[in-house]
């Protein structure tokens, strides 16, 4: 193994570990500490951010150690740990994307059912089920050599999700644009210029689409790896390096996602900003303020306490004229 390849692999993954762990942790902490209202779409994205945080903070360090010390693959506890986290977190990411797309599907196709179906309790149930499936997938892969058919079932499940998600989002995006154009044409009847096409879908749908495209592009080398990696099986060292580089491309996606949330979703931006504001207040020793309190423009407040509704009404009553005039 060339020294330059080892250095490049270690630096790339180490940078992803530091940046991705900090960015995802900011998204998660700011959401639960600052946020007062929790929308279902945001809960699904935060669940996805938890999976991304675990990829950056736990799985990628194991990957770096394994790349620099390939003999660790013969260490059964280490190998089982890598398999568990690798398959669990990859399945959690796929399940998270599927859950987000299901949320958008109901919002677009069944808007009247959305408020009753996608409640906070139902959202928590869906997230819990997706994580149970992910953990079960990781556990089963640790015993894939002992239980026949496990690897086939896991690959089939992952393949179905990878194929289903783009099809589902394509239908969502097409319907969202159609509904938005219909509303705009009805509200702007007679207008010659319609809004730009990029505004014909809501920002949440576009944000979810960007997350989906980035995820599929990053995971594409690993998805296509069964097609070209068998040619390297004669060279065992080259085969392992190819697998590790494909996995690294997928892990980099976990570093990119929090920046997409920050860019596309204004609530995440506000939460992170308020979190830094709260940290700055605590560090500087200033008096704490309620960062969730709605701010009121001081110029809109009446400085004179007499200038109330009752006070202004009293001034409208004509005062009696002085005696003797």
């Amino acid at each position: 193994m060339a020294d330059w390849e080892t250095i490049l692999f270690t630096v790339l993954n180490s940078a992803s570990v530091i940046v991705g762990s900090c960015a995802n942790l900011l998204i998660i902490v700011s959401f639960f500490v600052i946020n007062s209202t929790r929308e279902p779409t945001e809960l699904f994205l935060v669940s996805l951010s938890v999976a991304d945080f675990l990829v950056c903070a736990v799985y990628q360090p194991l990957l770096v150690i394994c790349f620099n010390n390939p003999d660790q693959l013969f260490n059964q506890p280490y190998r089982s740990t890598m398999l568990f986290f690798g398959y669990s977190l990859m399945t959690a990411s796929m399940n998270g994307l599927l859950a987000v797309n299901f949320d958008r599907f109901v919002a677009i196709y069944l808007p009247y059912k959305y408020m009753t179906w996608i409640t906070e309790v139902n959202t928590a149930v869906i997230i819990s089920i997706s994580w149970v499936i992910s953990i079960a997938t990781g556990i089963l892969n640790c015993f894939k050599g002992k239980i026949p058919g496990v690897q086939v079932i896991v690959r089939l499940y992952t393949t179905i999700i990878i194929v289903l998600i783009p099809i589902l989002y394509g239908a969502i995006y097409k319907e969202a644009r159609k509904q938005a154009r219909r509303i705009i044409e009805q509200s702007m009847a007679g207008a010659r210029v319609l809004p730009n096409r990029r505004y014909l879908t809501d920002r949440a749908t576009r944000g979810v689409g960007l997350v989906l495209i980035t995820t599929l592009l990053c995971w594409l080398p690993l998805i296509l790896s069964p097609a070209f990696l068998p040619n390297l099986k004669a060279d065992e060292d080259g085969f392992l390096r190819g697998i590790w580089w494909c996995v690294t491309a997928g892990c980099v996606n976990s570093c990119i996602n929090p920046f997409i949330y920050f860019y596309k979703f204004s609530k995440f931006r506000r939460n992170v900003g308020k979190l830094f504001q709260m940290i700055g207040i605590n560090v500087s020793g200033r008096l704490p303020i309620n960062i969730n309190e709605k701010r009121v423009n001081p110029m809109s407040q009446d400085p004179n306490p007499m200038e109330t509704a009752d006070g202004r009404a009293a001034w409208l009553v004509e005062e009696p004229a002085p005696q003797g005039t």
Side-chain angles (χ1 to χ4, degrees):
M1 188 181 301
D3 291 339
W4 67 266
E5 187 179 9
T6 303
I7 294 172
L8 180 61
F9 188 91
T10 303
V11 170
L12 178 61
N13 279 276
S14 299
S16 180
V17 166
I18 297 171
V19 176
S21 298
C22 294
N24 281 293
L25 191 62
L26 273 177
I27 294 292
I28 297 166
V29 172
S30 64
F31 180 80
F32 287 106
V33 171
I34 305 299
N35 204 11
S36 56
T37 59
R38 297 170 182 173
E39 299 295 330
T41 306
E42 296 164 359
L43 287 170
F44 288 127
L45 290 175
V46 169
S47 174
L48 190 57
S49 191
V50 171
D52 291 336
F53 171 75
L54 292 175
V55 168
C56 295
V58 179
Y59 183 71
Q60 278 192 279
L62 296 175
L63 191 65
V64 172
I65 295 172
C66 191
F67 190 88
N68 287 276
N69 300 282
D71 293 338
Q72 292 289 346
L73 289 175
F74 299 101
N75 184 348
Q76 189 58 39
Y78 188 90
R79 182 185 178 90
S80 299
T81 302
M82 277 203 68
L83 286 173
F84 171 75
F85 281 107
Y87 281 97
S88 294
L89 297 177
M90 185 186 77
T91 308
S93 297
M94 294 296 113
N95 287 344
L97 279 176
L98 183 62
V100 171
N101 278 274
F102 174 74
D103 168 78
R104 291 292 86 203
F105 180 85
V106 176
I108 298 299
Y109 278 91
L110 303 168
Y112 297 107
K113 299 287 187 180
Y114 185 81
M115 298 299 294
T116 55
W117 285 10
I118 312 298
T119 61
E120 189 168 345
V121 174
N122 292 342
T123 302
V125 171
I126 294 172
I127 292 173
S128 300
I129 292 173
S130 70
W131 276 98
V132 168
I133 294 173
S134 303
I135 294 171
T137 302
I139 294 174
L140 289 174
N141 272 278
C142 293
F143 303 98
K144 62 182 179 181
K146 301 177 181 179
I147 304 176
V150 169
Q151 195 168 5
V152 175
I153 295 173
V154 171
R155 285 184 178 179
L156 181 62
Y157 176 76
T158 306
T159 303
I160 290 173
I161 292 180
I162 291 173
V163 172
L164 180 61
I165 288 175
I167 296 174
L168 187 62
Y169 182 77
I172 292 169
Y173 187 79
K174 182 178 179 181
E175 182 64 22
R177 287 196 61 192
K178 185 190 299 183
Q179 291 182 9
R181 182 172 288 277
R182 188 184 305 120
I183 293 172
I184 291 174
E185 288 176 349
Q186 291 175 355
S187 61
M188 300 183 65
R192 296 188 177 184
V193 180
L194 292 177
N196 192 292
R197 58 182 297 180
R198 66 187 293 262
Y199 298 108
L200 292 181
T201 54
D202 62 285
R203 197 171 183 84
T205 302
R206 297 200 305 271
V208 171
L210 186 57
V211 172
L212 171 62
I213 292 171
T214 306
T215 301
L216 292 179
L217 288 177
C218 290
W219 284 100
L220 190 61
L222 193 60
I223 295 170
L224 298 178
S225 61
F228 60 86
L229 285 179
N231 299 326
L232 300 174
K233 281 191 174 180
D235 179 11
E236 185 177 352
D237 189 43
F239 177 79
L240 289 176
R241 291 204 310 272
I243 288 288
W244 287 330
W245 277 109
C246 290
V247 173
T248 297
C251 292
V252 168
N253 172 69
S254 298
C255 179
I256 298 173
N257 279 343
F259 295 97
I260 298 177
Y261 304 155
F262 189 83
Y263 172 66
K264 280 294 186 180
F265 297 90
S266 58
K267 184 172 287 188
F268 287 120
R269 287 199 301 273
R270 288 196 302 268
N271 290 344
V272 172
K274 289 178 179 180
L275 181 63
F276 278 118
Q277 179 186 359
M278 185 174 67
I279 294 173
I281 291 171
N282 292 332
V283 170
S284 63
R286 290 183 294 169
L287 292 175
I289 59 174
N290 184 2
I291 55 179
N292 288 320
E293 182 180 359
K294 184 178 180 181
R295 296 187 178 183
V296 180
N297 186 355
M299 298 301 295
S300 65
Q301 293 180 327
D302 297 320
N304 188 352
M306 292 298 295
E307 289 295 321
T308 60
D310 294 337
R312 284 192 294 269
W315 284 103
L316 294 177
V317 180
E318 185 178 356
E319 295 184 358
Q323 296 293 333
T325 57

